[in-house]
Amino acid sequence: MIDGALIVAMLVAAMRTATPLIFAALGELIVEKAGCVNLGVEGMMLVGAVTGFAVGYTTGNFALAFAVGAIAGAVLSMIYGVLVLHLHVNQYAAGLALTIVGGGASAFWGQAWQGLNMRGMGPLEIPGLSALPTLGDLFSRLDAMVYLALLAAAAIAYVLTRTRLGLIIRAVGENHDSAHALGVSVIGVRYGAIAFGGAMAGIGGAYLSCVMTPLWIEGMTAGRGWIAVALVVFATWRPARLVLGAWLFGLVTIMQLHGQGFGLAVPSQILAMLPYLVTILVLVLISRDATRIRLNAPGSLGKPFQPTA
Amino acid sequence: MSPQPAGSVRLGISGVSKQYPGCLANDNVSFEAGAGEIVALLGENGAGKSTLVKIAYGLVAPDAGRIEIDGHPAALTSPAAARAAGIGVVFQHFSLFDSLTVLENISLGLDTPAARANLADRIREIGTRYGLSVEPDSIVADLSVGERQRVEIVRVLLQDPSILIFDEPTSVLTPQAIEGLFGTLRQLRDEGRAIVFISHKLDEIMSLCDRVTVLRGGRVVGSVPIGETNTKALAQMMIGHEVPDVAQRRDLAGGPVRLAARGLTMSSQNPHAPGLQNVTLEARGGEILGIAGVAGNGQEDLLAALSGERLAATETAIELEGAPVGRLGPGARRKAGMAFVPGERLGRGAVPPMSLSDNGFLTAHWRLPLVRRGVLSARAGAEFADRVIERFQVATRSRATAAQALSGGNLQRFIVGREVLSEPSVLIVAYPTWGVDVAAVAAIHEALIGLRDAGAAIVLMSEDLDELLALSDRIAVLYSGRMSAPLPIADCGKERLGLLMSGATDAEAAGGASHAA
């Protein structure tokens, strides 16, 4: 009944489902490590999705589509940046506003593209990998962005723990007053982090509309931006856990879709909830050590920064 | 550091003034520190010491005056310029990042890759040379206060400054750690550096420094070699009149046990604090039980447990007048006769933006008839606030003034007064004179002694050993969540308490102290 080909198909679909989450959540992880909470991920993903789709549909150039999606996400995030860093608006309110603005703006710009289809991105051939027994079939069906998301996770883990840039980001998030006293530009670092977070959310959104479905529908992120925010916290700000959480989400999503296909006697609405429930439950369970959370959580997270001296 | 002949002036400040809105913080201040000299800068809170340090470190621009370093005029426009000119400052409040390692913390302050080369080795080398051993890879959150201070000092020494300023460096250290620090300071002096030692602890200044400059109300009132003065004369210079003597101790009558904790065990909410382990204490009517210890050894949790902010595991873990109250919250405990003066004045002791009379209501209504059928009695509240203000000489425009508008000393007078006037049978007081002017210290001490003489039991938690020794009838020491058996005040030498504060057992501390004596 369940054969190898089906398992491979499910794994491929699961990893593709996880990819936009990984991008968006990695961006948010950097934002939070620098001490800001941007709840606007959902809005930035939507804007990335619609602009990415528009460019991809028109040009057929995926690299350009992702670049434009990233830029759109970063530009939108600057609204949050100015509100929070210069006008000292409450971070949570500013983030929520960004989600609303992003949702509305993407629906408005997307009217012309609503319901259109485009040809999705093909798999990336990596010589050698696809020749492997059993796993080769899996590798031969993954696209470049799946790999890029994992590379990004590894790179971010490396930068955060091994480089001076990462040290400065962590210092700003841990104690912005001390960082300021040391001569670090707290505002500058946070702008950079917020723009990066916006760009990553934009790429995640563009992946949804250009590769996964691939079409544009209003509100197509369907809460994935919120899952990305939750992933960061429940993964206790660690990239590796974040990737595992995203894969879990992808796997349960695909399994419940197959479950629906097999005609399980469970309402489809309940099955559709499962990925969200399972992901949060598992992440809560593996990270319930309050001490570890406190050590990893940025000390200045969510606090306004107003330099005195 | 450039070599200079001994005695030549390294840091010369002349005629410096700084006006803040409503306050002339520095008024024509001149100050000198020479090569191979430790100069004390003595003054009360608000005398202008901090402003002078900020000026010397380029954090604040003076309105007038000149600063010379090694005889040359210096433009100290930023901390970076001050560091480049050879000035290093170890601040009272550390600016360390808790979740980072020692190495990462120090590396953050160094701007060039060259300065960061072989950093771990250089940290260890400085540690060995000056007795400041710190492990570069340990996480700052796991370090004691004394170790954190060493990290700060190492950070400053890496820049090889010729002028070192220490802002109240001993306020958080055990007596033994203070001796260690003094050793380091003398060594740095003997290398030809100029050391500025800021403090208001006269004994320390007398034993460490070569010269002392006294500030009062923003002005220099004198600068004298240490050999030509004594603590009494310095105190008089510092506050402008004779120090009032408080605390005549009477013989312990041995009143009834009013407050008891029995086998209090509690894990901490702070991942870096030890929690409480089997803490037992008894406070009798008519006594002040002092609790000594270095911050971070369970003080927060003991205060929370005694006040009811955190509930004990069992009813009987805490008893008030013989009745179990371990599971009662703060309100119920206040009603039963407990009162508290928490460590933080603003935020815990008082609601900062609320008026004094509202702040009076908040705690006093449990004991006094200030509320009738849920309605605040404005008149009773106003009378109560006025009574506190008058009895404890709180300098405020009126009872309607917001708590945050008062100076630290005046707000503390109000808070202590509010608790004392609610006539508690047990008063828990934490750090009552932290950052408070000398006159307020005397008033607060007097209030505590008055309440004790009226038969209440007082638990006094303080980091200031002098305060504990002056007020307490018995002293117990909190170390790593465990409480030592209380010692009668006659047996409380500083040495012995210091050993207990750094984890020695009772027997070791008694032995160690008698050896030293």
Side-chain angles (χ1 to χ4, degrees):
Chain A
M1 202 174 92
I2 292 180
D3 53 19
L6 178 62
I7 292 180
V8 166
M10 281 173 72
L11 284 178
V12 169
M15 289 178 86
R16 286 163 51 121
T17 308
T19 296
L21 277 183
I22 295 177
F23 276 112
L26 283 174
E28 179 69 7
L29 184 142
I30 290 292
V31 177
E32 295 198 6
K33 270 291 179 191
C36 292
V37 177
N38 187 352
L39 295 184
V41 178
E42 180 90 354
M44 299 187 297
M45 283 181 84
L46 280 168
V47 167
V50 74
T51 51
F53 183 82
V55 171
Y57 185 86
T58 326
T59 65
N61 183 337
F62 285 101
L64 195 63
F66 285 118
V68 170
I71 291 169
V75 168
L76 189 67
S77 75
M78 286 300 98
I79 298 178
Y80 170 87
V82 172
L83 285 175
V84 163
L85 298 177
H86 285 291
L87 304 175
H88 307 297
V89 171
N90 176 293
Q91 295 188 2
Y92 302 94
L96 290 173
L98 203 63
T99 284
I100 296 168
V101 168
S106 64
F108 177 69
W109 293 328
Q111 278 169 351
W113 314 97
Q114 182 82 13
L116 291 180
N117 271 305
M118 69 184 269
R119 201 165 42 80
M121 197 179 190
L124 180 72
E125 288 290 338
I126 300 177
L129 273 188
S130 43
L132 289 174
T134 46
L135 284 178
D137 195 26
L138 173 70
F139 285 121
S140 67
R141 292 166 64 178
L142 294 173
D143 57 74
M145 295 308 277
V146 172
Y147 295 108
L148 197 62
L150 298 185
L151 279 180
I156 282 174
Y158 179 81
V159 168
L160 275 179
T161 54
R162 295 290 152 83
T163 68
R164 182 153 180 88
L165 174 64
L167 180 58
I168 287 173
I169 292 173
R170 282 187 291 146
V172 166
E174 173 68 27
N175 185 339
H176 48 215
D177 292 319
S178 295
H180 175 70
L182 282 174
V184 175
S185 165
V186 173
I187 303 276
V189 169
R190 288 193 171 163
Y191 262 123
I194 290 167
F196 180 77
M200 292 292 272
I203 294 176
Y207 185 84
L208 275 177
S209 63
C210 295
V211 184
M212 247 177 77
T213 34
L215 55 87
W216 161 252
I217 312 166
E218 187 182 324
M220 69 183 299
T221 48
R224 286 187 178 82
W226 297 107
I227 282 289
V229 174
L231 265 180
V232 175
V233 179
F234 292 129
T236 56
W237 295 272
R238 288 193 285 190
R241 272 197 184 174
L242 187 155
V243 169
L244 288 179
W247 277 349
L248 183 68
F249 179 87
L251 200 60
V252 181
T253 304
I254 297 309
M255 281 166 63
Q256 64 91 8
L257 280 177
H258 280 270
Q260 289 187 35
F262 284 131
L264 282 186
V266 181
S268 63
Q269 289 87 346
I270 300 277
L271 285 175
M273 279 186 225
L274 272 181
Y276 300 87
L277 285 175
V278 171
T279 306
I280 288 185
L281 200 69
V282 168
L283 285 173
V284 166
L285 287 179
I286 60 173
S287 61
R288 65 186 186 283
D289 180 352
T291 313
R292 288 233 67 81
I293 292 182
R294 257 177 246 203
L295 264 183
N296 282 316
S300 293
L301 192 61
K303 292 182 192 155
F305 171 66
Q306 277 160 308
T308 45
Chain B
M1 177 181 69
S2 63
Q4 290 281 322
S8 68
V9 176
R10 278 202 181 272
L11 174 66
I13 295 176
S14 48
V16 160
S17 293
K18 177 69 193 176
Q19 173 83 49
Y20 284 119
C23 158
L24 187 55
N26 278 179
D27 183 3
N28 196 18
V29 169
S30 294
F31 176 84
E32 277 180 2
E37 174 177 59
I38 303 182
V39 187
L41 188 56
L42 171 68
E44 283 207 74
N45 290 303
K49 293 173 299 182
S50 302
T51 305
L52 194 61
V53 173
K54 284 181 186 161
I55 289 172
Y57 198 50
L59 282 167
V60 167
D63 301 330
R66 282 173 357 123
I67 298 178
E68 289 185 355
I69 290 171
D70 290 338
H72 305 292
L76 305 176
T77 50
S78 71
R83 283 197 294 267
I87 297 180
V89 180
V90 176
F91 284 101
Q92 182 182 9
H93 301 292
F94 308 145
S95 52
L96 295 175
F97 301 92
D98 280 2
S99 68
L100 305 185
T101 66
V102 170
L103 184 69
E104 288 172 333
N105 263 286
I106 292 177
S107 152
L108 271 169
L110 304 171
D111 300 321
T112 59
R116 294 193 291 268
N118 306 322
L119 193 53
D121 293 339
R122 281 156 58 214
I123 291 171
R124 289 203 186 88
E125 183 200 317
I126 287 189
T128 330
R129 191 174 351 141
Y130 296 105
L132 297 165
S133 66
V134 282
E135 183 45 49
D137 292 325
S138 39
I139 302 221
V140 165
D142 297 334
L143 301 184
S144 72
V145 185
E147 287 170 316
R148 287 174 198 221
Q149 186 180 54
R150 282 186 228 152
V151 177
E152 288 273 352
I153 299 176
V154 168
R155 171 150 94 181
V156 171
L157 286 183
L158 274 169
Q159 324 216 356
D160 193 25
S162 58
I163 299 155
L164 268 157
I165 304 175
F166 289 82
D167 190 4
E168 308 251 357
T170 62
S171 55
V172 292
L173 300 182
T174 63
Q176 281 77 12
I178 290 174
E179 264 318 306
L181 172 69
F182 284 5
T184 303
L185 293 188
R186 292 190 182 105
Q187 193 180 345
L188 290 167
R189 168 190 64 189
D190 296 341
E191 290 174 347
R193 300 175 209 266
I195 314 281
V196 180
F197 180 82
I198 296 169
S199 179
H200 57 249
K201 295 189 183 169
L202 303 171
D203 297 340
E204 290 176 0
I205 290 176
M206 292 301 296
S207 74
L208 174 73
C209 301
D210 304 304
R211 203 155 49 78
V212 51
T213 298
V214 184
L215 277 180
R216 186 172 76 229
R219 284 199 203 129
V220 174
V221 289
S223 184
V224 285
I226 221 72
E228 296 170 19
T229 186
N230 56 47
T231 53
K232 207 170 162 72
L234 285 179
Q236 205 162 337
M237 280 168 82
M238 175 166 75
I239 64 173
H241 53 82
E242 289 231 21
V243 196
D245 261 340
V246 278
Q248 279 83 26
R249 189 171 288 101
R250 333 134 304 152
D251 283 331
L252 247 187
V257 174
R258 294 202 184 277
L259 175 72
R262 302 191 201 287
L264 196 56
T265 298
M266 203 177 254
S267 66
S268 184
Q269 292 180 318
N270 175 346
H272 311 306
L276 296 177
Q277 273 146 49
N278 203 13
V279 166
T280 292
L281 66 84
E282 277 187 353
R284 295 176 175 273
E287 80 161 346
I288 296 180
L289 174 66
I291 296 180
V294 178
N297 275 293
Q299 282 90 343
E300 266 176 62
D301 293 299
L302 182 58
L303 283 174
L306 291 180
S307 69
E309 275 181 57
R310 294 186 61 199
L311 300 182
T314 62
E315 278 283 321
T316 50
I318 298 172
E319 289 178 2
L320 178 61
E321 306 282 3
V325 296
R327 303 288 300 164
L328 297 183
R333 291 193 198 182
R334 279 188 179 275
K335 212 167 186 172
M338 264 201 208
F340 322 101
V341 176
E344 305 119 80
R345 280 190 282 280
L346 287 170
R348 225 182 207 139
V351 184
M354 278 172 47
S355 70
L356 291 182
S357 51
D358 284 351
N359 271 299
F361 265 119
L362 282 175
T363 69
H365 81 271
W366 295 103
R367 298 276 292 164
L368 304 175
L370 303 180
V371 179
R372 287 199 191 93
R373 286 187 221 97
V375 180
L376 303 181
S377 162
R379 221 187 58 206
E383 278 171 12
F384 177 71
D386 284 344
R387 206 145 54 87
V388 175
I389 291 169
E390 197 198 313
R391 260 283 295 283
F392 296 90
Q393 298 173 1
V394 182
T396 171
R397 220 169 292 155
S398 78
R399 60 174 180 267
T401 305
Q404 64 199 8
L406 265 61
S407 74
N410 276 308
L411 182 56
Q412 194 70 356
R413 281 174 189 247
F414 183 83
I415 292 172
V416 172
R418 172 185 75 183
E419 302 305 336
V420 167
L421 286 192
S422 71
E423 295 169 1
S425 59
V426 171
L427 178 67
I428 319 274
V429 201
Y431 320 113
T433 55
W434 184 83
V436 157
D437 57 281
V438 171
V441 171
I444 288 163
H445 286 178
E446 217 166 293
L448 295 180
I449 286 164
L451 187 66
R452 175 194 72 185
D453 291 348
I458 298 180
V459 177
L460 170 65
M461 189 175 280
S462 179
E463 284 181 355
D464 184 346
L465 269 187
D466 295 323
E467 172 169 65
L468 286 172
L469 290 168
L471 293 181
S472 310
D473 300 289
R474 292 186 301 153
I475 296 181
V477 175
L478 201 53
Y479 174 77
S480 192
R482 295 171 197 278
M483 182 94 101
S484 72
L487 298 171
I489 193 69
D491 298 340
C492 291
K494 267 197 183 182
E495 185 89 13
R496 187 165 173 186
L497 290 177
L499 287 170
L500 287 171
M501 283 162 72
S502 37
T505 62
D506 256 344
E508 286 166 4
S514 65
H515 278 304

